[in-house]
Amino acid sequence: MGKFMHDNPLVSHSEVNRRHYSLTAIAVGLGLGVAGLCKVLYSGLPIPWVSPRNLLLGSGRVYYVGGLRNLGNNCFLNVILQALASCDSFVSFLDNLLATDGLPPEEKAERMPLLLALSSLLEDLSIVRDERIVLNPHGVMQALSFYVSHFNLTRQQDASEAFLHLLISLRDEFSHCYVPHRSSLADITLSHSKVYKQREGNQPECKRWKQNLFGPFDGTIGSILSCRNCSSVLSLDFQNFQCLPLSPVLNTNRDITSGCSLVDCLKYFTVVEHLDNYRCDRCWHITAAKYLSLKSEADEEKATKLNTCVDYGTCCCRGMFPKEELPCSSSSRATKQLIISQCPKILCIHLLRASVNLDGEPIKHQGHISFPLLLNLSPFVGDASSTEQGPGPLAMNVQRDGQQALHLYRQLNIQMSLNAIPTGGNSVHMANVDVASSSSSSPRPLPSSSKSKLYGLSAVVEHYGKCGGGHYAVYRRVASNPGPDDPGQPLAGLGKRWFYISDGHVSEVSEDDVLGAEATLLFYERL
């Protein structure tokens, strides 16, 4: 415009000034209008001529799920609550706890405030409505503050930490209902504690308590240390997890590798680590037995003890030899590997984007890490031999992103719609589902061992900004089939659609939008 006015001889200087002020006024007006529009959109108010794609159910009616009010930098907790609401088995888990705790209503409200508040809020978030609504998470925040007073719920916090704090607080609250307050183990065994109380049929309450104590997010990581010389397992360590931490694959510049995927992160997590110059006690026993067999006066008693010893590392076999005669074995080669030894019902994955640079300053690894709608975890579960060579061809076909993964996921949803039988709450019983590969003309079912390790994506948490600040939003999977006459029904878990939720703002998005998210937390539910 400026070039036109200065180069055009038909425009006078006074006209240029007038037009300059007019353009300035127009620019200011447009700026204020855009700012107001953004404010309205952020508040979640419907605008007739600017509205995101909404969930169309039944006969063209528009439905929504509830957003959550931001009470002061608590977006990190809002995304966790929305993600939990998308996990049917977690909502059912809370319902079962409330239904079987045996407490009267007044005592339940006093002793289980977090469980009651969370269950009520998730139930509201699991309802589709024909109008926009923004719910208040204040009740959950107030109940949670009893257990995590050191964790400020109104300041910017890490969403993964909030998730773990919430699960641990629920476990603490539930455990306190089973034992007397501030009691020793001796007091518990002598009292009428619910842990030792016998139920009908002589079944101890302790069994149910253990089942409820370990919730749907609980899994186990195994660490296997083995010797490659003698093929013996040197140690087995197990650790419980509720959120699986996975590091992205980085290049030489410490940036996320182009094309990095969730499967790559799982491979990196379960990769076999080779340890050189490792001292294996079993290898020493084998060497010592051979040393005795080569002596002219063989000591059969010592040789038998060496060959039958199983207490490697704690035995006294080395004391059988004089110090100057103590045989030495050559250094062994060992391998160490992490595996997922027990799969949770709901798999929460934390992609570790936070790090520090060479100057010790916190940084965030930016970049897209692709993830599938359908995840097969079987290649990363079990003994070392199943993961040392990496996922097999069938597993890689299941993991592959793009059209094939979308096809598998949609085929599974169709099968779910045909075989699902709602049973109360938000749970759905499924018949055996065979997932066919789209790359072959004839359907090829997955092995039964792989079926139990199939997970469907339920929610994706995304973080905007740098370490220590920014904003959280969530992509959440919801059902799209409420009753035509009564839309305000709990989600039954059949036809799935996706929503993007940023506090109180809710809009429907496509699967491609979800798969394009720069995820920091992923929630997968076992199928």
Side-chain angles (χ1 to χ4, degrees), residues 472-484:
Y472 283 100
V474 62
Y475 295 87
R476 179 190 158 190
R477 188 185 63 177
V478 298
S480 59
N481 61 328

Side-chain angles (χ1 to χ4, degrees), residues 264-526:
D264 295 329
C265 298
L266 284 166
K267 286 182 184 179
Y268 184 68
F269 181 76
T270 57
V271 70
V272 177
E273 182 182 357
H274 295 271
L275 307 175
D276 295 327
N277 300 322
Y278 189 87
R279 196 183 83 169
C280 175
D281 290 314
R282 185 169 185 267
C283 287
W284 179 87
H285 281 70
I286 295 173
T287 302
K290 289 181 179 179
Y291 170 78
L292 285 178
S293 65
L294 296 176
K295 293 183 65 175
S296 56
E297 298 178 0
D299 192 328
E300 294 184 3
E301 183 179 353
K302 289 183 178 181
T304 301
K305 187 175 182 179
L306 287 170
N307 289 324
T308 58
C309 180
V310 293
D311 299 325
Y312 305 126
T314 59
C315 63
C316 55
C317 294
R318 294 176 186 269
M320 295 188 302
F321 298 91
K323 203 167 188 180
E324 63 277 2
E325 195 184 354
L326 192 66
C328 295
S329 63
S330 58
S331 297
S332 303
R333 295 179 302 156
T335 60
K336 183 179 180 181
Q337 185 179 25
L338 296 177
I339 60 169
I340 302 174
S341 56
Q342 181 176 341
C343 295
K345 291 183 180 179
I346 309 174
L347 176 64
C348 176
I349 296 176
H350 181 201
L351 296 174
L352 302 175
R353 293 182 176 272
S355 183
V356 292
N357 58 19
L358 297 177
D359 298 327
E361 299 174 347
I363 59 172
K364 176 185 174 183
H365 293 299
Q366 306 280 356
H368 181 64
I369 301 174
S370 62
F371 49 91
L373 289 171
L374 185 66
L375 175 67
N376 181 15
L377 207 59
S378 58
F380 312 100
V381 177
D383 58 12
S385 61
S386 65
T387 53
E388 185 172 353
Q389 302 300 326
L394 179 59
M396 290 304 297
N397 285 337
V398 176
Q399 303 289 5
R400 187 175 299 136
D401 294 329
Q403 293 301 319
Q404 185 176 0
L406 292 175
H407 171 78
L408 291 172
Y409 186 75
R410 289 163 180 157
Q411 288 293 103
L412 192 60
N413 268 342
I414 293 173
Q415 196 71 22
M416 288 173 63
S417 300
L418 295 175
N419 296 325
I421 304 175
T423 59
N426 288 352
S427 60
V428 173
H429 289 296
M430 285 177 47
N432 292 332
V433 179
D434 290 340
V435 183
S437 172
S438 61
S439 60
S440 59
S441 56
S442 59
R444 179 171 59 171
L446 284 172
S448 58
S449 60
S450 297
K451 288 180 185 178
S452 62
K453 309 299 187 301
L454 283 177
Y455 287 79
L457 185 65
S458 293
V460 180
V461 173
E462 192 172 23
H463 178 262
Y464 307 99
K466 300 180 180 180
C467 288
H471 179 67
Y472 283 100
V474 62
Y475 295 87
R476 179 190 158 190
R477 188 185 63 177
V478 298
S480 59
N481 61 328
D485 300 326
D486 186 9
Q489 295 293 326
L491 306 181
L494 301 184
K496 298 295 185 179
R497 303 289 286 272
W498 286 94
F499 275 97
Y500 173 83
I501 305 175
S502 176
D503 291 331
H505 173 71
V506 180
S507 61
E508 191 201 358
V509 294
S510 66
E511 288 180 349
D512 291 338
D513 294 328
V514 177
L515 296 176
E518 196 165 311
T520 184
L521 284 173
L522 295 167
F523 289 80
Y524 282 92
E525 196 161 10
R526 193 163 64 193

Side-chain angles (χ1 to χ4, degrees), residues 243-259:
C243 183
L244 185 65
L246 296 181
S247 298
V249 182
L250 305 179
N251 56 27
T252 55
N253 297 325
R254 305 295 297 169
D255 297 324
I256 295 179
T257 304
S258 177

Side-chain angles (χ1 to χ4, degrees), residues 40-180:
V40 172
L41 287 175
Y42 184 80
S43 301
L45 299 177
I47 300 176
W49 51 274
V50 182
S51 61
R53 291 188 303 116
N54 297 309
L55 192 59
L56 296 176
L57 308 175
S59 57
R61 297 176 66 183
V62 180
Y63 294 93
Y64 309 90
V65 291
L68 286 173
R69 186 174 301 169
N70 193 315
L71 303 177
N73 297 321
N74 62 296
C75 61
F76 65 90
L77 182 61
N78 285 347
V79 294
I80 297 300
L81 296 173
Q82 292 283 6
L84 292 178
S86 70
C87 299
D88 295 340
S89 55
F90 182 75
V91 178
S92 299
F93 172 72
L94 296 183
D95 292 341
N96 291 334
L97 291 184
L98 289 173
T100 59
D101 61 75
L103 295 174
E106 60 277 3
E107 188 176 352
K108 185 184 299 184
E110 179 182 354
R111 302 188 65 178
M112 310 177 73
L114 179 58
L115 181 56
L116 280 172
L118 182 62
S119 178
S120 176
L121 182 60
L122 295 189
E123 182 179 355
D124 287 341
L125 290 174
S126 300
I127 294 176
V128 289
R129 297 174 171 85
D130 56 0
E131 61 181 0
R132 292 183 181 270
I133 184 173
V134 179
L135 304 172
N136 195 332
H138 177 263
V140 173
M141 294 175 66
Q142 185 179 20
L144 186 59
S145 64
F146 298 150
Y147 299 95
V148 290
S149 56
H150 62 283
F151 191 74
N152 195 324
L153 294 170
T154 58
R155 296 185 60 183
Q156 293 185 357
Q157 302 284 1
D158 184 75
S160 62
E161 290 185 35
F163 169 69
L164 293 177
H165 279 310
L166 182 60
L167 293 186
I168 293 173
S169 300
L170 280 173
R171 178 171 295 177
D172 289 345
E173 184 173 270
F174 179 77
S175 301
H176 290 161
C177 293
Y178 275 78
V179 296

